[in-house]
Amino acid sequence: ALHAVHHCPEKLYWLDVGRFHPLEKAFQFVLDALPFMLRGVGEQVISLYFVFIDNGFFRHSNIRLRYGPLNYLISTAELHRWHHSRISDESNHNYG
């Protein structure tokens, strides 16, 4: 139910990356960044992680870039469009 806030826009757009319920963002922080910080990973490494691995702006961009087999490793815009699909059989089975 919290993630529904992220899916309320009619069209997938790169600015939608910031549309989240505050409680969901808190959970994301705890599960995503906090483990890095607790292990003493430097801010440069955490920044690289968010730029290259967990980049929401990239996943919400309207670009045609095919990753092929790398889609199993990288959450791309191609996969994320399925996550935002209005067809529940697509969106309920893809959490990229």
Side-chain angles (χ1 to χ4, degrees), residues 2-22 24-26 28 32 50-51 53-62 75-77 80 83-84 96:
L2 295 178
H3 195 65
V5 172
H6 181 68
H7 287 267
C8 66
E10 292 293 318
K11 183 179 178 186
L12 184 62
Y13 189 62
W14 67 274
L15 286 175
D16 297 338
V17 70
R19 185 186 302 262
F20 282 100
H21 190 282
E24 182 179 9
K25 286 310 282 182
Q28 280 182 335
D32 213 3
F50 283 109
V51 168
I53 305 299
D54 191 23
N55 189 322
F57 290 106
F58 170 67
R59 283 193 308 268
H60 288 87
S61 64
N62 293 320
S75 179
T76 64
H80 204 70
H83 172 72
H84 281 269

Side-chain angles (χ1 to χ4, degrees), residues 24-37:
E24 182 179 9
K25 286 310 282 182
F27 285 137
Q28 280 182 335
F29 173 76
V30 168
L31 296 174
D32 213 3
L34 188 60
F36 284 122
M37 296 167 66

Side-chain angles (χ1 to χ4, degrees), residues 71-91:
N71 277 325
Y72 290 100
L73 301 173
I74 301 170
S75 179
T76 64
E78 178 183 6
L79 293 178
H80 204 70
R81 282 188 202 101
W82 290 344
H83 172 72
H84 281 269
S85 174
R86 297 285 181 207
I87 302 168
S88 63
D89 282 344
E90 292 177 348
S91 61

